[in-house]
Amino acid sequence: MASVPVKPLPLLRRNITSTTASKSSPMLANVSSRHFLGIITYKESLSQMRTPASLSHRRRVSTVVSSAGNLTAPSWDSWKPDKTAAATALLMSDVIWPAAGAFAAMAILGRMDQMLSPKGISMSVAPLGAVSAILFITPSAPAARKYNMFLAQIGCAAIGVVAFSVFGPGWLARSVALAASIAFMVITRASHPPAASLPLMFIDGAKFHHLNFWYALFPGAAACVILCILQSIVCYLKENMKF
């Protein structure tokens, strides 16, 4: 028995076509017709396929990508308190132990000053206050890493001695020493901001000039050994004696 081919009804074909078009039209309407970072949208690609001349013309024209995101107005969020830190519960031990560590550090370094003053060595210098704040308040910060701290302290102090030897006291020596210290920390990936003040302190401080290259070890690096020991004690107390 021969089978008779069945043709779809014209009405059904129109219904299928209209239903497909009605479903796809919102999808096409949602596609934006704007450029973003040089990416051509769906509608424009369809129009370009219909007009090959326009496509070849667009290929010949260079596209300039505008980085508008980098030109936005400065955000004021950096002037506000950190929301994550504000939401964290603050314990009394988080305040007492870092403060006690800073007190113990300056007391020990001050006592060492009295012992080493006949030799002209001062251990309790201003940059160590910033080092204490970093070690006791933010012990997990990159600046608190031992590699960063010791390499930056020794390298920047030596840079200050070289700059003073070459340029003598004055603004030029300070400028060159600070620029070289920042470049040194960037190249060695040893970011430790307090170390940038060591070359300036050597250039302006006549009491350090007799140390010459020993200044790379005293007072910065030698005092940081004591501060690291105190940091370990403070972190242990914060973890095990909370109140």
Side-chain angles (χ1 to χ4, degrees):
M1 183 175 180
S3 59
V4 179
V6 179
K7 297 182 179 180
L9 295 176
L11 179 62
L12 181 60
R13 182 181 299 176
R14 283 198 300 269
N15 291 339
I16 294 173
T17 306
S18 62
T19 304
T20 306
S22 63
K23 288 183 179 181
S24 61
S25 58
M27 297 174 61
L28 294 175
N30 291 332
V31 178
S32 175
S33 62
R34 298 173 57 190
H35 279 82
F36 182 73
L37 296 178
I39 300 175
I40 300 176
T41 55
Y42 180 71
K43 277 188 175 183
E44 294 181 356
S45 62
L46 290 179
S47 64
Q48 289 176 359
M49 284 190 293
R50 295 192 188 105
T51 57
S54 175
L55 179 60
S56 61
H57 175 70
R58 288 179 179 271
R59 286 177 179 174
R60 290 194 300 267
V61 177
S62 61
T63 304
V64 179
V65 180
S66 174
S67 58
N70 296 332
L71 300 178
T72 56
S75 176
W76 294 102
D77 292 339
S78 61
W79 293 82
K80 300 176 183 178
D82 188 7
K83 295 180 180 180
T84 305
T88 306
L90 184 63
L91 301 177
M92 186 61 66
S93 57
D94 295 332
V95 179
I96 297 298
W97 295 127
F103 176 83
M106 289 300 107
I108 294 173
L109 294 177
R111 180 56 181 167
M112 293 179 66
D113 276 349
Q114 294 179 352
M115 299 170 59
L116 298 175
S117 58
K119 298 182 180 180
I121 298 176
S122 178
M123 298 295 291
S124 56
V125 292
L128 295 178
V131 177
S132 300
I134 292 174
L135 292 180
F136 299 142
I137 298 176
T138 57
S140 59
R145 291 176 59 89
K146 306 304 183 290
Y147 169 82
N148 294 11
M149 181 171 56
F150 284 100
L151 186 60
Q153 290 274 343
I154 296 172
C156 293
I159 289 172
V161 177
V162 173
F164 178 78
S165 302
V166 175
F167 300 103
W171 65 269
L172 183 59
R174 290 194 295 268
S175 302
V176 172
L178 182 58
S181 297
I182 292 175
F184 173 78
M185 287 189 286
V186 172
I187 293 172
T188 58
R189 290 177 172 83
S191 176
H192 185 68
S197 60
L198 289 176
L200 305 180
M201 189 175 65
F202 180 83
I203 294 171
D204 294 335
K207 64 179 181 180
F208 298 111
H209 293 168
H210 71 282
L211 294 175
N212 206 359
F213 280 99
W214 283 105
Y215 180 74
L217 299 178
F218 299 98
C224 285
V225 175
I226 300 173
L227 295 180
C228 288
I229 296 173
L230 292 174
Q231 182 203 27
S232 301
I233 298 174
V234 168
C235 291
Y236 175 81
L237 294 174
K238 285 178 64 176
E239 291 295 328
N240 295 278
M241 297 185 64
K242 297 181 179 182
F243 51 87

